[in-house]
Amino acid sequence: MMLLKDLPKEFRENHIFRYTCGNVEYQCKATYLPFGIRNMEKYEGMQLEEIYSPLVHLEWEATNTEKSVYQSHFIMPYSVIWWFNNRDKTAYDEMIGYSALETNYLDRVKEEDRRLNAGVQLNIFNY
């Protein structure tokens, strides 16, 4: 059992994570408590199991492609509980990466990378 106020500091701050997959560069903006809970003191003392609104809002976006590769996702308290029970509690960036995999965002990025590389051949004989 964990209180919201006991979440590690990394989970309670907004972050921008940057990644590369092949030729596609993308980023994820992680925003803590996207709905701006009005009575923060009330929620700070609650256990994660008692909160039914999202804790983190994720926005993935490719930064170097003409085609938009965008996706939005909310992380609910039960997902954070699962992460803490099964993974490293301090690895916030790994949770974000895992979310990209689980929501199939990485598949979309890989498909865009394949599209960008279509018709491109490496010729080792040109000097």
Side-chain angles (χ1 to χ4, degrees):
M1 307 259 194
M2 177 182 278
L3 299 177
L4 181 61
K5 68 181 178 182
D6 295 332
L7 277 175
K9 182 180 177 185
E10 296 79 22
F11 285 74
R12 300 168 54 83
E13 295 177 345
N14 299 338
H15 296 279
I16 296 178
F17 299 98
R18 291 184 171 77
Y19 305 93
T20 302
C21 178
N23 291 320
V24 177
E25 296 172 3
Y26 62 100
Q27 68 181 19
C28 180
K29 293 180 185 177
T31 306
Y32 178 66
L33 295 174
F35 296 127
I37 296 174
R38 293 179 191 2
N39 187 358
M40 188 57 117
E41 295 79 32
K42 171 187 171 187
Y43 285 92
E44 288 287 315
M46 291 179 72
Q47 295 181 10
L48 291 179
E49 293 89 352
E50 300 173 333
I51 300 173
Y52 298 104
S53 63
L55 291 183
V56 179
H57 180 232
L58 304 178
E59 287 184 280
W60 288 287
E61 181 177 26
T63 58
N64 68 335
T65 61
E66 289 182 21
K67 180 181 177 186
S68 174
V69 185
Y70 176 86
Q71 188 165 325
S72 175
H73 179 67
F74 291 99
I75 297 180
M76 300 297 286
Y78 58 81
S79 295
V80 174
I81 293 167
W82 178 89
W83 183 262
F84 285 169
N85 289 334
N86 294 286
R87 305 289 181 155
D88 183 0
K89 292 182 181 179
T90 60
Y92 187 58
D93 58 333
E94 289 181 22
M95 187 178 79
I96 302 303
Y98 185 77
S99 296
L101 180 65
E102 287 296 303
T103 60
N104 294 321
Y105 183 74
L106 281 183
D107 292 338
R108 294 179 58 208
V109 168
K110 289 176 184 176
E111 182 59 35
E112 180 63 13
D113 185 52
R114 280 192 285 278
R115 190 186 71 73
L116 289 173
N117 289 320
V120 176
Q121 294 181 351
L122 176 63
N123 189 343
I124 61 174
F125 299 108
N126 285 341
Y127 292 96

